[in-house]
Amino acid sequence: MFSAALSGFLLGASLIIAIGAQNAFILRQGLLREHVFLLSLICALSDALLITAGVAGLGTLIAQSPKLISVVTLGGSAFLFWYASVAFRRALHPEVLKAANAGNGNLKVAIGTVLALTFLNPHVYLDTVVLLGGLSARFEGWNRAAYGAGASLASFIWFFGLGYGARLLQPIFAKPAAWRVLDVLIGLVMAGIGLSLLVRFLNN
């Protein structure tokens, strides 16, 4: 069981430790110290839910539903382009950054954003449900459960580590210029992912 759990943990970590929509958002919230625990928990639980569904066999069903993937891909692309435009606007207006740094972010907006970044991104389904779920077929019984638990644990460690570890970078972000750079990078990441999704949709 330990070997299966370790396999799931390493594969899960390799998939989530990358610059992506969720990670960029949690990093920014961590720097602002806004709703870090709840948002990190939502991301981790969402991953755990999708991993569990994939291990239970949903990955095969989704892989056989190209229309479903296309709908999520198009919706996710549109949302990511919108969020990229928000990030670029923040970078152009220092006063917005200063207001945000006061720690008065709206909780409902933050939760809605992180849920959209999670469930409107088809990469999440392909990575957690299809890929992780598909590879779980190598294991049976409790070993398969241990594999899923290991992959889920990787998500919990990563998102909470990113959210709370971000505050170590706060001295760097004491100046508005650093926030401009961060928001430009976030905008580029979101736009890049959105563009890749749009290209995939048009090629299908």
Side-chain angles (χ1 to χ4, degrees):
M1 285 180 64
F2 176 77
S3 176
L6 181 61
S7 177
F9 180 87
L10 294 176
L11 181 57
S14 68
L15 291 175
I16 63 174
I17 301 177
I19 298 176
Q22 278 181 313
N23 292 341
F25 183 72
I26 293 298
L27 174 62
R28 193 174 198 281
Q29 294 300 118
L31 287 166
L32 294 171
R33 299 194 180 192
E34 290 181 355
H35 322 301
V36 177
F37 179 83
L38 182 57
L39 296 178
S40 298
L41 182 62
I42 289 173
C43 286
L45 287 176
S46 297
D47 270 11
L49 176 64
L50 293 171
I51 290 169
T52 300
V55 170
L58 185 61
T60 302
L61 180 62
I62 290 181
Q64 295 173 349
S65 305
K67 289 185 178 180
L68 177 60
I69 294 178
S70 294
V71 169
V72 175
T73 298
L74 188 59
S77 178
F79 179 81
L80 288 168
F81 280 127
W82 172 81
Y83 193 86
S85 70
V86 171
F88 288 136
R89 286 199 301 270
R90 281 198 307 254
L92 291 173
H93 300 288
E95 69 276 7
V96 175
L97 298 178
K98 291 177 182 178
N101 206 17
N104 295 318
N106 186 289
L107 177 58
K108 291 183 180 179
V109 172
I111 291 176
T113 300
V114 79
L115 287 174
L117 290 174
T118 299
F119 292 103
L120 288 181
N121 183 0
H123 286 303
V124 172
Y125 297 96
L126 295 175
D127 288 347
T128 58
V129 181
V130 178
L131 182 56
L132 278 169
L135 292 177
S136 71
R138 297 175 297 166
F139 305 100
E140 296 181 358
W142 287 108
N143 284 330
R144 179 177 292 188
Y147 168 88
S152 298
L153 178 62
S155 291
F156 274 87
I157 292 176
W158 171 251
F159 284 117
F160 279 97
L162 180 63
Y164 285 101
R167 63 188 60 187
L168 298 176
L169 300 175
Q170 281 193 323
I172 299 175
F173 288 88
K175 299 179 180 180
W179 285 100
R180 288 194 186 96
V181 172
L182 177 65
D183 278 320
V184 168
L185 290 176
I186 289 175
L188 291 174
V189 168
M190 301 295 183
I193 297 173
L195 182 60
S196 69
L197 295 181
L198 185 59
V199 169
R200 176 182 295 179
F201 175 79
L202 294 176
N203 288 336
N204 287 339

